[in-house]
Amino acid sequence: MNDVDRSRASLKVLVADANPKRGQALSQTLRADTSLEVLTVPAGMALIDAVQLHGPDVVLVDMERADRDALDSIRALSRSAQERPVALFVDEDDVELMETAFDTGICSYNVLEALPQDVKPLLRTAIALYGRFRRARDELAEAQRALAERRIIEQAKRFFMENEKTGEVQAHRWFQRRAMQTSRKLAVVAQEYLAAQKKGDA
Amino acid sequence: MMSVPIRIGVLKLADSAPVIMARQKGIFARYGLETEIVVSPSWANIADGLAWNRLDAAVLFAPLALMTMLGRRGHDTVLHPLSRISRGGNTIMLRGVNPVKGVWKSGAEGREIFDIWQAAIGRKPRIAVVHIYSTHLLILRRFLKMIDVDMDREVEILVMPPTDMISAFSEKEIDGCCVGAPWGMEAEQIGLAFCVGGSSTVLPDHLEKMLVVSDALFRSADTARRMFSAMQESLSFCRMPEHREEIAEILALPLSEGGLTLPREATFRILPGGTVQETLGFAGGEVQFPDIKWIINDMAALGWLDHDECGNLVFWTDSPDARLLHAHAPSL
């Protein structure tokens, strides 16, 4: 191994994500850096067992994982007579990074000798990827919500057309006017109309 | 009134009932408190939430609160014990066949039973707790000491979430656990484990959980006072045996309906008014030094706290009124 290679000695990173899809995406992203050896926690394996198996330098942990508590204890536990115990990564001087990581739902544990300049880029990469996944999930939820609203409005209009013997344009106008008069969303007005309808049926 | 909701962290445990019921019964609202209950997957999330200003309060056991405060798992964070929450309720559960009927006696007799049980298990017992800095570990250590078993040498300690313990028992990954309510009862009901002791045999009525609040909330004295009062009212409600059914019902609800998805039957049996070996008690009032003295002593014995830290922690439980006065002193 020449000097250049040695300076880029590989860092062993364990990705512990409860969401397999996201975990895979994060692993792939990290593997682009050839100085990293990226490992994942096999499905069904406890986080602490994976840490003991792989002996990583850095562990990126999804904070939704309930078995994260075992990592807290690693140094105090009798059985963790491990060669390289990991501890929660904390950068007191970079509160913003720590808070962003927390809000994003990811944290990092690392061996004591790991350098912040080695850990922080990994944590930032994970934060960015988690952020993308969250946005995608939010967008999906928003699309689903819009679709549900659409359905309610259509159904309310159908009832209105039946009750008032009118066409769709008139029905739409009626709901629109009512929404404007009461400063509420069209979907809310439609929902109320449907609720009143059901009550009337009962 | 605070313009943002007070974020209270809880875990899926029967100890969380006073917080859950305070919301369900509209007690928080009556005290003008807007709250957001954050059901956390792990104790680490609770500690980190308090450390990084993502939680204002939490239902927590003293050892983790103290270690978080001292910066032993992240950065140090000023925390205050606002109110007692629960007493006892921890069960020591073992798998296999109990060589005797019921809980184990202390001393040589207990040691003998342990040896018979261990011979049947056929290995160094693997015993799980929910977190290393927990009352469960301290109670387990005291129990083992009572039957003359050395926790460091004679058993292997593991850490896992209570829900994982159930499956770990059935897969024989663990041989025992010390766990909070209602999870020991649940393991017993499923037929996975039997109870050999716990809070009531080791240290009856010991303080289990407390409501810990951030420094910011504590210094917002009016809010802290209202929070304290709301909790006392909810604790009184939770203490009454006639509310057992309603509380068990609500704790069994899904998260989306304000519950904790706890097993209903097991929860019902361990709530105040239940007649099982280990019932959970709800305790009102301020946390007093005698409540946590044994915890500090045990933590020191384990080497987690040094002499100076123990000395400083004596003041941690000074009455809130006294400390609120201190908090206001600079502005006088």
Side-chain angles (χ1 to χ4, degrees):
Chain A
M1 194 191 269
N2 62 33
D3 281 350
V4 177
D5 280 336
R6 206 171 297 130
S7 72
R8 287 181 58 79
S10 82
L11 199 65
K12 215 190 249 188
V13 185
L14 179 65
V15 173
D17 200 325
N19 174 345
K21 228 177 176 172
R22 190 177 52 188
Q24 206 178 18
L26 180 55
S27 306
Q28 251 169 26
T29 310
L30 295 173
R31 281 193 186 107
D33 181 343
T34 52
S35 73
L36 301 177
E37 184 187 345
V38 184
L39 301 152
T40 52
V41 181
M45 188 186 274
L47 181 51
I48 191 156
D49 292 336
V51 169
Q52 260 146 5
L53 178 71
H54 294 304
D57 301 290
V58 177
V59 194
L60 293 170
V61 186
D62 172 8
M63 291 178 73
E64 283 301 309
R65 281 190 84 112
D67 56 1
R68 181 161 85 92
D69 278 336
L71 289 194
D72 262 18
S73 328
I74 211 159
R75 285 155 75 192
L77 276 182
S78 54
R79 83 161 181 149
S80 58
Q82 278 195 87
E83 276 180 50
R84 317 182 71 218
V86 296
L88 183 67
F89 171 74
V90 176
D91 189 336
E92 301 271 5
D93 302 325
D94 200 343
V95 173
E96 202 185 328
L97 176 71
M98 299 310 296
E99 291 183 350
T100 308
F102 192 89
D103 288 343
T104 318
I106 182 124
C107 61
S108 169
Y109 286 75
N110 51 260
V111 291
L112 296 177
E113 65 266 32
L115 300 166
Q117 58 261 40
D118 283 343
V119 178
K120 285 169 83 166
L122 298 175
L123 190 54
R124 285 206 184 91
T125 305
I127 289 171
L129 189 115
Y130 269 49
R132 278 207 298 283
F133 265 74
R134 177 172 289 185
R135 278 194 296 280
R137 195 189 56 198
D138 290 350
E139 277 165 21
L140 180 67
E142 173 57 25
Q144 283 166 340
R145 193 193 55 74
L147 188 66
E149 278 190 358
R150 214 47 263 146
R151 283 210 191 98
I152 289 165
I153 294 166
E154 290 308 319
Q155 203 186 356
K157 279 202 296 198
R158 265 202 313 280
F159 273 117
F160 184 88
M161 282 150 66
E162 228 167 79
N163 291 342
E164 308 295 327
K165 309 272 180 274
T166 61
E168 192 178 348
V169 179
Q170 286 86 346
H172 191 79
R173 256 192 224 132
W174 188 83
F175 280 107
Q176 232 172 7
R177 201 164 45 237
R178 206 172 156 81
M180 252 158 59
Q181 280 164 352
T182 55
S183 327
R184 281 173 312 165
K185 285 176 73 178
L186 197 60
V188 176
V189 174
Q191 181 75 61
E192 263 180 19
Y193 186 83
L194 283 177
Q197 198 71 29
K198 266 187 204 136
K199 222 172 165 185
D201 283 351
Chain B
M1 200 198 287
M2 279 182 132
S3 55
V4 285
I6 299 166
R7 302 155 300 179
I8 310 170
V10 299
L11 254 68
K12 292 178 183 173
L13 291 168
D15 307 70
S16 308
V19 170
I20 298 292
M21 296 313 291
R23 177 173 65 183
Q24 285 281 345
K25 306 302 284 183
I27 298 171
F28 283 141
R30 244 185 299 119
Y31 282 87
L33 297 165
E34 199 188 326
T35 56
E36 180 194 341
I37 297 178
V38 181
V39 181
S40 168
S42 67
W43 288 111
N45 274 23
I46 296 266
D48 289 341
L50 290 167
W52 298 107
N53 187 28
R54 292 317 185 246
L55 288 176
D56 306 299
V59 175
L60 188 57
F61 30 57
L64 183 58
L66 296 175
M67 292 305 257
T68 303
M69 213 166 61
L70 295 169
R72 294 297 165 71
R73 57 158 317 287
H75 82 137
D76 51 343
T77 310
V78 180
L79 298 172
H80 303 270
L82 190 73
S83 171
R84 293 178 184 140
I85 293 283
S86 59
R87 289 195 182 280
N90 297 330
T91 46
I92 297 165
M93 312 296 300
L94 301 179
R95 76 172 172 88
V97 180
N98 190 353
V100 292
K101 207 170 176 311
V103 297
W104 293 1
K105 291 214 166 66
S106 57
E109 208 175 316
R111 173 77 218 197
E112 216 170 287
I113 304 164
F114 174 85
D115 289 337
I116 296 168
W117 169 75
Q118 189 187 355
I121 292 293
R123 65 176 176 197
K124 187 177 182 178
R126 294 162 60 92
I127 305 193
V129 292
V130 292
H131 196 281
I132 198 77
Y133 302 138
S134 61
T135 37
H136 309 84
L137 183 91
L138 305 185
I139 291 292
L140 174 67
R141 180 173 162 274
R142 280 179 175 239
F143 172 79
L144 293 173
K145 214 169 174 182
M146 278 167 60
I147 59 166
D148 198 22
V149 173
D150 185 337
M151 185 175 81
D152 292 335
R153 287 186 305 109
E154 298 187 77
V155 301
E156 192 180 313
I157 301 292
L158 288 84
V159 171
M160 62 174 67
T163 42
D164 286 9
M165 288 180 192
I166 302 286
S167 59
F169 263 128
S170 63
E171 282 155 31
K172 298 192 167 74
E173 275 175 33
I174 56 170
D175 307 310
C177 70
C178 182
V179 69
W183 299 105
M185 177 51 60
E186 177 69 358
E188 190 174 314
Q189 281 195 329
I190 298 174
L192 288 172
F194 56 89
C195 176
V196 294
S199 296
S200 70
T201 65
V202 174
L203 198 62
D205 295 326
H206 69 81
L207 184 72
E208 173 54 27
K209 306 283 187 323
M210 46 194 182
L211 188 76
V212 168
V213 300
S214 69
D215 196 42
L217 174 55
F218 187 75
R219 280 167 188 283
S220 168
D222 174 53
T223 308
R225 230 177 253 129
R226 279 184 285 130
M227 184 88 173
F228 178 78
S229 303
M231 286 314 299
Q232 302 319 302
E233 194 174 322
S234 189
L235 283 160
S236 299
F237 178 89
C238 292
R239 262 201 302 268
M240 294 166 104
E242 57 264 42
H243 295 145
R244 189 152 71 115
E245 187 125 29
E246 183 183 353
I247 297 168
E249 209 69 61
I250 284 174
L251 294 183
L253 288 175
L255 263 52
S256 58
E257 290 168 41
L260 294 173
T261 61
L262 293 187
R264 205 206 76 90
E265 182 59 27
T267 307
F268 177 72
R269 295 186 67 184
I270 56 82
L271 283 173
T275 53
V276 291
Q277 172 68 33
E278 292 292 343
T279 53
L280 181 68
F282 291 110
E286 296 154 8
V287 180
Q288 306 284 337
F289 184 65
D291 290 328
I292 60 160
K293 193 176 169 204
W294 72 277
I295 293 173
I296 292 174
N297 287 343
D298 284 15
M299 288 172 75
L302 281 159
W304 296 349
L305 300 175
D306 64 29
H307 184 75
D308 288 351
E309 285 164 341
C310 293
N312 291 336
L313 288 173
V314 170
F315 305 105
W316 196 49
T317 49
D318 271 3
S319 87
D321 279 340
R323 282 183 306 154
L324 288 173
L325 281 174
H326 285 303
H328 279 298
S331 61
L332 288 175

